[in-house]
Every structure is written in C-alpha cells, then in structure tokens.
C-alpha cells in the first residue's frame, strides 16, 4: 500500500465515559445506532451509484440487468457476512456496554 493510500486505524472503543446529551441515555444510544446506519447506507448508495453509472457508461451492464442479478451460494454467504458486520457496527454501543457490565469491577 502506498503512503498516500494508507488507512489510519482508529480504536474501536473511545477512552473515558461516554458523553450523554439527552436525559435518557437510551435515547443517546438509539441516536448513535441510527446515525451509524445512516452513515453506512450513505456510503453504500454512493458506491452503488458509481458502479451502476460506470457499468452503463462502458456498456458492460444495464441497471435492469444489475437489478435482476441473483448471486450463487458463495455470494449469498458473503452478503450475509457483510450484513452481520453491519449489524455489529450498528449495535456496537450496546455490545460494548454489555461487555463492560460482564467485566469484573
């Protein structure tokens, strides 16, 4: 990987207590989860749009052909893995809290 293409790895957990902005911490957690979903959806929509435009522009594949595509079993498994990864990202705040509660004090 070139220097300009290096990706900085951020820690999965922030240090210190989580700040809360609403009276009910559950509202903060739900908002964080919602924003995570919106962020993921936005990125994926941009990628999909770019791919469809490039494929159509180059005459490789039409949007209709793309919409009709059915993956094989390996493709389905990869999609399921991606779905699980997304769910883990969305529910990260809840999973981290559960981990913290299980850790001995």
């Amino acid at each position: 990987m070139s220097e300009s293409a290096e990706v900085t790895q951020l820690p999965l957990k922030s240090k210190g207590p989580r700040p809360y902005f609403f009276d009910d911490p559950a509202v903060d957690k739900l908002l964080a989860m919602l924003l995570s979903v919106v962020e993921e959806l936005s990125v994926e929509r941009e990628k999909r749009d770019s791919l469809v435009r490039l494929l159509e522009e180059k005459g490789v594949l039409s949007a209709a052909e793309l919409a009709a595509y059915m993956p094989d079993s390996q493709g389905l498994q990869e999609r399921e893995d991606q779905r699980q990864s997304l769910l883990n990202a969305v529910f990260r705040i809840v999973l981290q809290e559960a981990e913290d509660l299980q850790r001995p004090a």
Side-chain angles (χ1 to χ4, degrees), residues 33-78:
M33 291 165 48
L34 176 62
L35 291 175
S36 177
V37 170
V38 169
E39 178 182 22
E40 292 287 337
L41 179 60
S42 176
V43 168
E44 292 305 318
R45 281 185 172 178
E46 286 180 14
K47 285 181 188 177
R48 184 192 64 207
D49 179 67
S50 295
L51 284 170
V52 170
R53 289 174 188 272
L54 285 169
L55 290 169
E56 284 188 316
E57 186 179 296
K58 296 186 181 288
V60 175
L61 193 64
S62 71
E65 289 171 307
L66 186 60
Y69 173 75
M70 292 299 295
D72 59 14
S73 61
Q74 180 180 349
L76 288 171
Q77 182 59 53
E78 289 172 4

Side-chain angles (χ1 to χ4, degrees), residues 71-90:
D72 59 14
S73 61
Q74 180 180 349
L76 288 171
Q77 182 59 53
E78 289 172 4
R79 285 182 179 185
E80 180 56 34
D81 293 345
Q82 291 172 356
R83 184 177 300 109
Q84 190 60 51
S85 179
L86 173 62
L87 289 172
N88 289 342
V90 169

